[in-house]
Amino acid sequence: MVEKLSSIGKNKQPITRKNSPGTRSYGKPLGLYGNCVACSLSSVLPDRLSPWQPFLPSRLLDANVSIRMADPFSIIAGTASLLDICWRVGAYLSKVKASAGKIERDLEAFSYEVTALITTNESIQALWSANSGKSLDAQSPDTTRIEELWEDINLALHGCREAMGVLALLIEEVIGKDGVAVQGKRDGIKKVLRKQSKDDEIREIRQRITSHQNSLQLTLSALNLCYVRNSQSSTDRSLAVLSDTMEYWGFKLNHELAAIRANLALDINDKASQQSLTGQTQVKLNKHFYIPRAVSSMFTGRVDLLEDLRNSLFGVSTPIEKKHVQKRFIIYGLGGSGKTEFCCKFGQDNRQSFWGVFWINASSPQSVQHTYSTIAQIGGVEPNERAAKDWLANLDRPWLLLIDNADDLSIPLEELFPEGDRGVILVTTRNPVNRIYGTVGKGSYHFERLAEAEANNLLLRAACEPTPWSNTALEYAGKITTRLGFLALAILQAGKAIAKRICTLSNYLDVYDRSWQKIRRLRTKSSEFAGKELTVSMNVYSSYEIIFRGLEATDSVTTQDAVQLIKMFSFFSWEDLRVDILTTSVAHPRRQIEYDEAEAVKSAGKAEYKAQSWTQRLKGWAIWATTALLADPTGPVLPMVLRDDKESFDEDRLMDALDQLNQLSLIYYQEATDSYSMHPLIHTWVRERPQMSTSEQALWCQAAATTLSRSILLPPLDETASAVSLRRHLLPHVSHVLEYQANIESILSENQKRRKFRWSVIKHNFGRLQAIEAAKFSLIYLQNGFFSEAEALQVKTRDFVCARLGMEHAAARRITLFLAMTYSLQMRNNKAAELQEDVFQACKVHLGPSHPETLKVMNTLGASRRFQGRFKEARELLEEAIKAMTTTLGPENEETLLAMDNLGRLMWMYLQYSEARALHTKAVDGMTRVLDPVHEKTLIAKENLAMACLSFEGDVLIHGKTAHDSMAKVLEERKQRFGKEHPWTLYAICNLARLKSGLGDHNEAERLMRAALPIAQRNLGENHFGTLAGTTHLAQVLVRQGRLDEAENMFTDVIQRQRYASSAREDGEHPDRIAAMWYLLQAYQKHGKIGDAIRVCDELLQAVSAIGGQGLGLLHPFAKQLQERSEELRSLVTTSEDDSSDMVLAAA
């Protein structure tokens, strides 16, 4: 074999490119090009070149060039000849594998690499064919780069052919003269021995083929990127405006760069591969980088693990690894061992390999929901967990997701993963069982302790010890890190204590031992620190305690503020500690006071709408006195830095305290979000340290609740974009505070039971302050979609307020209406209407029938009655409200216009389309003047006006094109304001589709609805009325398209009675179900299923007769239309029977 290779090397003639002006010089030998594949190829090149000259760069046609490296024929011939060799080698390998099991195992991976090379070769051919005839932008710098890249590909092709030729000879020698099949045991042994003798040569040739194949892959991706960028306008080449296609190829290039660097140590003599690899620059297109905290400059160690993880994720996969499986890697181990820091470091180092780097906090269901909502907002979808995971699962750009602190056993880890095989996921957890979810490389790392040298390095750097470190310093560091169990967080805290001169390197262990003994004596106070991990956790806690006592001992305003803030933060969630939560807790109460004072001035001097009796006046005085007694005379419980006694807030003082905590690594600053976070272990220790009594816990928990409550604005001040955004970030903090409050109350209750004299314990009561907090916190839960939690808080608040103040007080009426709105959002419209009825009756008694608040509630109740199908009551309420509002408030008042719009929707339900359009037109014109053309209430009125141009059956009645264009504008406005997945946006999409179908564009209507329905099912639920209505209208479109079987199946599913149970009265059906049954009846009739149509018609007649109670539904115009349809269907049956009888008689 050596002789053959030597003879080949002697025979080959190096083909070089001569220097020409403005060109590069290549002295690379083409090797076995002639010997292995096609010896006569060079002789035909001149004849084949002529037709391709118009497409070649002029500088490649220089007469001084002995052979043109990247001419079209050489590319095509090169790929064809390489493909031929690859197939031959592949066939050899397959036969060898079939003949000898041991050789099969040895050559398995090699066969895979040959297959990959074939795939790359085919991609090169496809790219050349797609672009060889295209003209390039002469002004683009990429034109020159494209020429150079094709030259690089040609060089790599020659290298591949040479390596594959050598491989072919090696395989022939292994097989021997007897052929591929094993001729008996002796022949099999000979083949194995010959293969073993060639192991070194096979290994070398494998490295060469891998080098060339990666070079081809890399250059191919770079060419795709250059072609896309070259196609951009000459004035539009900045990265900010690159197309999605270019982004895709840019990231593909980056991933292949990472794969090559991870898997390939290039031969120093392999110039073609070196040139391809070093000549490319990574395209920096990372757009989103969202991690829990910035990587500390003190990060030390685990470099080998970072490199190994990079290789596992980016390296070329092997046949053993599963294909099309989501890449996941698990980091598990003790708290404080550096799991999160390691993942953040990996994300930072490999940032440019991902379009997005995201993070979720898996420590609780609320934190999962909150952090996934943040990702959803980045993706422009509805801010909830389901939408975020769906967006990631369908994202066609590379992303990295860090699932942090997955320790809660009540949250199955697999439910946190986006579906599909896209993306890369890193998980940090204390639970070793979770390592089964790893899918790449080793699957998981177990973090326990740093290596001794790494630990010493971290300690001395954190302690700011001057370098070079002395032997004495290293000796002290070794003793300290050993005592701390080489735990990263504990070592970092120790270094900070030494750096702040709380202790020294030499006496740290003495201070530490005293702290340890004190904690051991007192630790039984906190059951949270019992059990496993106690010793390890105590290392961190003792280190922290040294710093904390040093802070407490410092008598300065900044350090005392820092101590108070960190104690309060321990009752917040440990992540996303936003600065604006603290600043708005001071600013928002001022705004609320200013608004209340302004409203008081407006209402001052106005005449009473109803004269009050002396008993009502007496009760009013009693309510005033009760309210005054319930007020907290001590003022709010807050850290001193957040108190606003002198109406002046020193924000610099706040920032100084936060900076003090940040310097000590007790909190970590995240610049991108202007927020801080705490390590979970420190977060727990501050709250549960033995020195903190239950009463002190209650104090700081109340301070946290007060701060959060004061940062929340109540309607109507809460409608600003900043207020809405802030409320989304408050959810995990509110959940944590309420959880800790419940725990503290439970401890206090147990302590009271153990006391001999229980009267000495003050019982915690739900008072005015707690009622305000509960109402505000329910707003947070409501906005974030936690309706049950919001309802529980509102019920508690309503019971308290109504019991002490009664429904005659405005606060009781407001919280009742607030609870009714929560019921409506849960589609529990019957419960909502009951509460609205209670408030309406209370307003009539205590305020009078013409009071503005009474009229506003009357309008709200009328809208609910319409939704319940109680049309007669709804009409009476709305008409009376409009009449009284026009007199009392004026025809241009916002509330008057809202009532007109609601009445217009009711008239459409009465099939009185002209009257409906007239009312909606007045509402739109008035709201445009009073509010704003794009105010949400104006948009709702415009939407209602557009839909009033459709009949109940979906036919366009009038102004179809105008209605369509208006609806399209409403949709665009909602997309910009709320996002493409908000319920109001989905509703607009459905209505626009209905108008398109009415105008005859059924295909586009179907496309819009099918795109929106899965989002509605995911975000709202399958039984939400919006989802059911959307399905009904889609089925209606299918009927118009003649797809009757599909439509009937949809209608049959939608009309199931239990899906409307939460809003249908016992004496009637829900209007939406009646509409769906009507459409099903029409589909059956169109399909010729007259019997089924009659059955549905009879059920509809019974439902309509009961709707609204006392048979009032029979007065509805639809009842008459339904009766006529019933007669028509039965006549069709009679006619059919008569025809059948005539046919029988004729036959007889």
Side-chain angles (χ1 to χ4, degrees):
M1 177 66 186
V2 175
E3 293 176 357
K4 287 187 178 181
L5 289 177
S6 301
S7 63
I8 292 173
K10 293 175 183 177
N11 292 334
K12 69 180 182 181
Q13 298 295 322
I15 304 174
T16 60
R17 159 177 278 192
K18 298 179 181 179
N19 290 335
S20 59
T23 64
R24 294 181 298 173
S25 174
Y26 294 93
K28 300 179 176 61
L30 297 188
L32 297 176
Y33 179 79
N35 295 18
C36 295
V37 186
C39 295
S40 61
L41 195 58
S42 58
S43 63
V44 300
L45 275 175
D47 296 331
R48 300 292 184 94
L49 180 61
S50 179
W52 295 91
Q53 287 184 357
F55 306 107
L56 288 177
S58 59
R59 65 190 187 83
L60 295 179
L61 299 175
D62 183 26
N64 293 326
V65 180
S66 60
I67 182 168
R68 296 163 180 84
M69 302 295 293
D71 63 84
F73 183 74
S74 66
I75 294 295
I76 294 174
T79 56
S81 58
L82 176 59
L83 193 60
D84 176 66
I85 293 181
C86 286
W87 281 117
R88 287 194 291 109
V89 171
Y92 269 131
L93 291 172
S94 298
K95 292 178 181 179
V96 171
K97 285 161 52 181
S99 301
K102 187 175 188 305
I103 298 179
E104 174 185 358
R105 292 191 297 272
D106 292 338
L107 298 184
E108 178 81 31
F110 201 35
S111 178
Y112 170 78
E113 290 162 6
V114 172
T115 304
L117 186 57
I118 292 173
T119 303
T120 303
N121 198 57
E122 291 172 345
S123 299
I124 293 172
Q125 290 179 328
L127 182 66
W128 178 264
S129 301
N131 293 280
S132 61
K134 294 181 180 179
S135 59
L136 301 177
D137 183 0
Q139 303 290 326
S140 172
D142 288 317
T143 300
T144 302
R145 189 69 185 130
I146 287 172
E147 298 169 356
E148 295 171 349
L149 289 170
W150 276 117
E151 293 176 6
D152 293 342
I153 281 186
N154 199 38
L155 288 171
L157 286 172
H158 283 297
C160 278
R161 286 195 297 274
E162 178 180 336
M164 294 302 294
V166 174
L167 174 62
L169 294 175
L170 285 172
I171 293 175
E172 288 177 2
E173 289 209 356
V174 170
I175 292 172
K177 298 179 180 180
D178 296 328
V180 173
V182 177
Q183 306 296 326
K185 187 173 182 180
R186 184 175 180 180
D187 183 55
I189 293 173
K190 287 181 178 180
K191 284 181 168 59
V192 171
L193 292 174
R194 285 196 296 268
K195 191 268 171 187
Q196 289 176 346
S197 69
K198 303 298 181 184
D199 276 347
D200 290 341
E201 294 175 74
I202 289 176
R203 189 180 304 108
E204 179 185 355
I205 206 66
R206 180 178 178 182
Q207 290 175 353
R208 289 173 60 188
I209 290 176
T210 301
S211 170
H212 290 304
Q213 195 265 341
N214 281 321
S215 176
L216 286 170
Q217 263 191 341
L218 175 64
T219 312
L220 182 63
S221 293
L223 269 169
N224 274 292
L225 179 62
C226 287
Y227 273 122
V228 173
R229 190 160 51 192
N230 188 271
S231 67
Q232 301 288 326
S233 168
S234 58
T235 59
D236 189 32
R237 296 192 180 95
S238 68
L239 287 178
V241 292
L242 291 179
S243 65
D244 287 345
T245 306
M246 182 175 174
E247 286 187 8
Y248 170 79
W249 283 108
F251 280 113
K252 186 175 176 63
L253 175 60
N254 283 348
H255 271 279
E256 289 174 357
L257 279 165
I260 291 171
R261 285 169 177 154
N263 291 275
L264 181 62
L266 289 177
D267 186 342
I268 199 167
N269 296 316
D270 191 355
K271 297 181 180 179
S273 297
Q274 281 186 332
Q275 183 180 355
S276 295
L277 182 58
T278 59
Q280 313 305 327
T281 301
Q282 284 201 21
V283 182
K284 301 188 177 187
L285 294 175
N286 175 261
K287 289 199 171 180
H288 302 287
F289 190 68
Y290 173 47
I291 59 176
R293 58 177 178 264
V295 178
S296 171
S297 59
M298 299 293 173
F299 184 89
T300 303
R302 292 176 174 147
V303 176
D304 55 336
L305 294 184
L306 286 169
E307 186 65 24
D308 182 68
L309 179 57
R310 183 183 298 109
N311 294 343
S312 298
L313 295 174
F314 299 137
V316 177
S317 58
T318 66
I320 300 173
E321 292 182 5
K322 296 179 181 178
K323 304 299 186 296
H324 306 297
V325 173
Q326 192 174 62
K327 293 183 176 181
R328 298 192 293 264
F329 204 91
I330 314 299
I331 316 294
Y332 70 97
L334 300 170
S337 57
K339 301 184 297 294
T340 301
E341 190 76 9
F342 175 85
C343 291
C344 290
K345 175 66 172 174
F346 179 85
Q348 177 179 279
D349 290 350
N350 298 278
R351 176 174 181 170
Q352 294 306 329
S353 295
F354 301 100
W355 179 81
V357 178
F358 308 109
W359 165 78
I360 64 167
N361 175 11
S363 59
S364 69
Q366 290 80 11
S367 60
V368 169
Q369 168 74 13
H370 167 65
T371 43
Y372 255 133
S373 295
T374 302
I375 297 174
Q377 288 178 296
I378 292 173
V381 296
E382 190 66 7
N384 62 57
E385 179 182 347
R386 293 187 301 273
K389 288 194 288 192
D390 184 71
W391 176 68
L392 287 173
N394 293 284
L395 189 62
D396 59 357
R397 294 172 176 81
W399 50 264
L400 170 67
L401 177 65
L402 168 57
I403 300 179
D404 198 20
N405 294 295
D407 306 321
D408 191 336
L409 297 180
S410 67
I411 307 176
L413 181 58
E414 64 271 21
E415 293 184 4
L416 300 180
F417 303 145
E419 293 183 359
D421 59 354
R422 297 184 178 183
V424 173
I425 297 177
L426 300 181
V427 179
T428 70
T429 178
R430 296 186 188 184
N431 186 357
V433 175
N434 286 332
R435 68 181 184 272
I436 64 173
Y437 295 105
T439 60
V440 294
K442 298 176 181 177
S444 64
Y445 294 144
H446 183 197
F447 279 17
E448 289 186 289
R449 42 178 277 174
L450 292 173
E452 184 176 358
E454 295 172 345
N456 295 344
N457 186 301
L458 175 60
L459 176 68
L460 294 174
R461 289 174 62 196
C464 300
E465 285 293 313
T467 56
W469 298 318
S470 66
N471 291 332
T472 302
L474 289 171
E475 183 180 354
Y476 280 127
K479 292 179 180 179
I480 294 172
T481 55
T482 301
R483 183 70 63 85
L484 296 178
F486 302 101
L487 201 61
L489 183 60
I491 293 169
L492 181 63
Q493 297 295 330
K496 292 293 183 179
I498 296 168
K500 288 295 181 180
R501 300 295 182 261
I502 297 173
C503 54
T504 65
L505 196 63
S506 59
N507 73 353
Y508 178 85
L509 286 179
D510 294 334
V511 177
Y512 173 84
D513 288 339
R514 291 196 298 271
S515 176
W516 171 273
Q517 293 302 326
K518 181 180 290 187
I519 293 172
R520 289 190 64 183
R521 288 195 300 269
L522 299 174
R523 72 186 185 193
T524 53
K525 291 185 59 179
S526 177
S527 60
E528 186 159 345
F529 300 115
K532 63 178 182 179
E533 295 191 12
L534 175 61
T535 302
V536 175
S537 299
M538 290 287 283
N539 289 327
V540 179
Y541 303 147
S542 300
S543 300
Y544 160 74
E545 189 66 19
I546 294 171
I547 294 180
F548 192 83
R549 289 208 310 271
L551 266 180
E552 288 183 318
T554 305
D555 188 16
S556 71
V557 173
T558 299
T559 54
Q560 293 308 307
D561 287 341
V563 169
Q564 293 183 2
L565 285 175
I566 194 87
K567 287 182 177 179
M568 183 180 74
F569 287 161
S570 70
F571 292 93
F572 282 23
S573 172
W574 56 264
E575 47 91 21
D576 202 24
L577 298 164
R578 296 171 63 94
V579 176
D580 56 356
I581 295 176
L582 305 178
T583 56
T584 55
S585 70
V586 178
H588 282 177
R590 296 180 191 170
R591 285 188 59 192
Q592 192 71 53
I593 292 171
E594 292 170 358
Y595 173 79
D596 292 341
E597 290 175 349
E599 289 298 303
V601 171
K602 285 182 184 179
S603 60
K606 288 186 178 181
E608 291 287 339
Y609 290 92
K610 179 183 178 183
Q612 292 184 323
S613 65
W614 70 270
T615 54
Q616 288 176 323
R617 291 170 183 261
L618 182 61
K619 191 164 187 178
W621 294 335
I623 290 173
W624 175 84
T626 303
T627 304
L629 289 173
L630 288 173
D632 187 356
T634 61
V637 179
L638 289 167
M640 292 300 298
V641 70
L642 298 182
R643 289 184 176 272
D644 194 26
D645 298 333
K646 300 180 181 179
E647 297 188 357
S648 61
F649 171 56
D650 189 350
E651 189 168 349
D652 291 337
R653 175 180 169 183
L654 172 63
M655 299 311 298
D656 288 342
L658 293 172
D659 186 58
Q660 178 81 31
L661 295 173
N662 188 48
Q663 289 181 24
L664 294 172
S665 295
L666 297 178
I667 61 176
Y668 305 93
Y669 181 61
Q670 187 72 6
E671 185 176 2
T673 57
D674 192 24
S675 64
Y676 294 86
S677 63
M678 298 174 66
H679 192 284
L681 281 179
I682 296 178
H683 182 260
T684 300
W685 179 247
V686 177
R687 184 178 64 255
E688 302 288 349
R689 58 194 294 260
Q691 291 86 344
M692 184 176 279
S693 64
T694 304
S695 58
E696 188 179 2
Q697 287 179 331
L699 174 69
W700 290 111
C701 186
Q702 183 57 58
T706 303
T707 301
L708 294 174
S709 175
R710 286 164 64 90
S711 69
I712 303 169
L713 286 171
L714 290 173
L717 296 177
D718 65 334
E719 296 179 355
T720 62
S722 59
V724 172
S725 175
L726 178 63
R727 287 200 298 272
R728 294 197 184 280
H729 291 280
L730 290 177
L731 174 65
H733 302 304
V734 168
S735 298
H736 277 74
V737 163
L738 292 177
E739 178 184 350
Y740 298 142
Q741 281 184 339
N743 291 340
I744 291 170
E745 288 180 17
S746 175
I747 293 173
L748 289 173
S749 177
E750 290 298 320
N751 290 343
Q752 184 179 3
K753 291 177 181 178
R754 289 195 295 266
R755 288 178 180 270
K756 183 176 181 180
F757 303 103
R758 298 183 184 180
W759 55 267
S760 62
V761 179
I762 300 176
K763 187 178 180 180
H764 178 78
N765 290 319
F766 186 85
R768 177 177 178 274
L769 176 62
Q770 288 72 31
I772 294 174
E773 288 176 357
K776 288 186 173 183
F777 292 165
S778 73
L779 188 64
I780 303 301
Y781 281 120
L782 197 65
Q783 179 177 317
N784 287 279
F786 291 88
F787 299 130
S788 298
E789 291 82 353
E791 177 191 343
L793 291 172
Q794 290 168 11
V795 168
K796 194 174 183 179
T797 303
R798 179 177 180 267
D799 291 346
F800 169 79
V801 175
C802 290
R804 285 159 177 76
L805 304 178
M807 286 294 287
E808 54 267 37
H809 194 278
R813 296 192 295 271
R814 283 197 294 269
I815 186 60
T816 302
L817 291 175
F818 193 15
L819 178 57
M821 181 183 69
T822 302
Y823 285 139
S824 295
L825 291 172
Q826 297 177 80
M827 296 292 105
R828 296 161 64 184
N829 294 288
N830 293 337
K831 290 281 291 182
E834 290 176 13
L835 294 181
Q836 291 165 355
E837 178 69 33
D838 292 342
V839 175
F840 178 53
Q841 296 302 327
C843 287
K844 286 199 296 185
V845 172
H846 301 290
L847 301 176
S850 59
H851 191 279
E853 185 179 339
T854 306
L855 300 177
K856 183 176 180 179
V857 176
M858 186 186 296
N859 174 39
T860 303
L861 180 59
S864 294
R865 294 301 189 209
R866 174 187 62 79
F867 201 74
Q868 287 181 292
R870 299 173 63 168
F871 296 147
K872 184 174 184 296
E873 291 180 56
R875 185 168 186 172
E876 291 173 352
L877 287 167
L878 291 172
E879 288 178 343
E880 184 180 350
I882 292 171
K883 182 179 179 181
M885 285 178 177
T886 302
T887 303
T888 305
L889 305 176
E892 291 284 293
N893 183 270
E894 177 184 339
E895 297 299 331
T896 307
L897 297 170
L898 286 174
M900 288 182 182
D901 197 45
N902 282 330
L903 182 58
R905 296 186 67 182
L906 180 63
M907 300 311 293
W908 188 88
M909 300 292 289
Y910 267 105
L911 310 185
Q912 298 179 16
Y913 305 121
S914 298
E915 292 84 346
R917 286 194 296 273
L919 286 164
H920 289 316
T921 300
K922 288 182 180 178
V924 170
D925 293 343
M927 290 182 188
T928 301
R929 291 189 295 270
V930 174
L931 298 175
D932 186 83
V934 294
H935 191 282
E936 182 50 34
K937 293 177 181 177
T938 309
L939 294 178
I940 292 173
K942 289 181 177 180
E943 184 172 33
N944 291 335
L945 176 58
M947 299 314 296
C949 296
L950 283 182
S951 69
F952 185 67
E953 285 77 15
D955 299 319
V956 173
L957 300 171
I958 190 174
H959 307 313
K961 184 64 169 62
T962 302
H964 173 278
D965 294 345
S966 176
M967 192 66 242
K969 291 178 181 178
V970 170
L971 174 58
E972 288 306 313
E973 188 64 36
R974 285 183 179 163
K975 281 183 179 179
Q976 294 179 13
R977 182 174 302 183
F978 301 122
K980 59 186 178 182
E981 292 196 353
H982 192 276
W984 279 117
T985 305
L986 298 178
Y987 186 56
I989 291 173
C990 180
N991 284 334
L992 179 61
R994 292 173 63 192
L995 284 164
K996 286 183 179 293
S997 181
L999 292 169
D1001 193 356
H1002 306 309
N1003 291 337
E1004 179 62 13
E1006 180 189 1
R1007 186 191 68 79
L1008 287 172
M1009 288 184 175
R1010 287 198 184 278
L1013 265 178
I1015 300 173
Q1017 292 169 346
R1018 182 189 69 213
N1019 294 344
L1020 304 176
E1022 293 188 352
N1023 288 336
H1024 190 280
F1025 290 136
T1027 307
L1028 296 174
T1031 306
T1032 298
H1033 294 308
L1034 173 58
Q1036 206 177 359
V1037 172
L1038 297 179
V1039 170
R1040 290 169 177 263
Q1041 293 176 309
R1043 295 155 64 181
L1044 298 175
D1045 289 329
E1046 191 177 352
E1048 289 164 8
N1049 290 334
M1050 281 190 180
F1051 284 133
T1052 303
D1053 181 62
V1054 164
I1055 65 173
Q1056 296 178 45
R1057 181 175 280 105
Q1058 68 270 18
R1059 305 184 79 167
Y1060 302 88
S1062 61
S1063 290
R1065 288 173 54 84
E1066 294 179 359
D1067 58 358
E1069 294 285 358
H1070 192 278
D1072 286 3
R1073 182 171 185 268
I1074 290 176
M1077 292 174 67
W1078 171 250
Y1079 299 141
L1080 176 59
L1081 184 156
Q1082 292 178 315
Y1084 279 149
Q1085 185 175 355
K1086 190 173 182 178
H1087 208 175
K1089 299 180 179 180
I1090 306 302
D1092 290 331
I1094 292 175
R1095 174 180 54 79
V1096 174
C1097 188
D1098 290 343
E1099 187 178 350
L1100 270 173
L1101 280 168
Q1102 183 179 358
V1104 170
S1105 66
I1107 194 169
Q1110 295 104 28
L1112 294 175
L1114 292 176
L1115 302 177
H1116 194 284
F1118 178 65
K1120 181 179 179 182
Q1121 183 176 344
L1122 193 59
Q1123 186 64 48
E1124 292 173 353
R1125 183 60 63 94
S1126 176
E1127 295 171 1
E1128 177 187 342
L1129 291 170
R1130 295 182 190 283
S1131 67
L1132 290 174
V1133 173
T1134 303
T1135 302
S1136 177
E1137 291 174 351
D1138 291 342
D1139 290 342
S1140 298
S1141 298
D1142 292 341
M1143 291 177 64
V1144 171
L1145 291 173

